[in-house]
Amino acid sequence: MLDTGAAEEIGTGVAQLTTWLAEVDPAWLYGAPSPGEWTVMELLAHTVEFLRYWPPVMVGIAAEPGLSFGRGLDDSDRTGYVLAHGGDPLEAMVQELSAAGEQARATLAAIPAAGWEAAGVHISWGELGLPEIVQRVLTGHLAGHCAQAKATYDAVSHQDAL
């Protein structure tokens, strides 16, 4: 089963996120709703990082069914990118987000039809088919962080009203 919908879902999700970012007050993007929570910009940095990280993993699973995959929340690539880029200017982050989205779309679109039949073995979730892996770590992950970014923005921008 060829999953061209995943590539389009990523494109739509990134487009919706960048459209929303064009409408917000950038001053509120750098504040955390409470100590220990990520700011909108940190969420965006995480989104850029996972849009770059996971598609090559998907290609690997398509090429080598049964491949083990996964990483912990404390993965140094994941956390390092957020720390290094969570304070970037909005314009730079939007460019990175758009580029990462396009790269992810192109990478997924290049997976051959037979590759979409493959399964991988996640370190915690066990064996999953490639379409479900893509949903969990890319498309669903993107949708979840879009919603989280909007909720974070709402919380931070309304803190003064409380």
Side-chain angles (χ1 to χ4, degrees):
M1 150 179 104
L2 179 62
D3 193 346
T4 57
E8 291 310 311
E9 207 172 326
I10 290 170
T12 300
V14 170
Q16 289 172 347
L17 188 54
T18 56
T19 298
W20 172 72
L21 288 167
E23 300 170 357
V24 300
D25 181 347
W28 297 110
L29 301 177
Y30 300 91
S34 61
E37 291 187 52
W38 278 352
T39 68
V40 171
M41 291 303 290
E42 289 169 331
L43 289 165
L44 295 174
H46 172 62
T47 301
V48 167
E49 190 278 329
F50 78 71
L51 285 172
R52 289 188 174 139
Y53 176 84
W54 286 113
V57 173
M58 305 304 112
V59 168
I61 292 167
E64 188 181 332
L67 190 67
S68 180
F69 72 100
R71 62 183 180 165
L73 293 177
D74 61 349
D75 177 81
S76 62
D77 289 336
R78 177 184 174 273
T79 56
Y81 194 87
V82 172
L83 289 171
H85 297 281
D88 285 1
L90 177 59
E91 300 78 23
M93 185 63 71
V94 168
Q95 287 177 349
E96 290 298 312
L97 182 61
S98 295
E102 282 303 311
Q103 182 180 18
R105 288 180 64 210
T107 301
L108 291 181
I111 295 174
W116 289 99
E117 298 294 330
V121 181
H122 188 269
I123 59 174
S124 298
W125 304 325
E127 185 174 278
L128 300 170
L130 188 57
E132 185 176 355
I133 296 168
V134 170
Q135 191 284 322
R136 285 193 185 196
V137 301
L138 280 173
T139 58
H141 199 174
L142 175 61
H145 282 308
C146 287
Q148 185 183 11
K150 291 175 183 179
T152 297
Y153 179 86
D154 287 345
V156 171
S157 65
H158 290 97
Q159 281 178 342
D160 289 344
L162 300 178

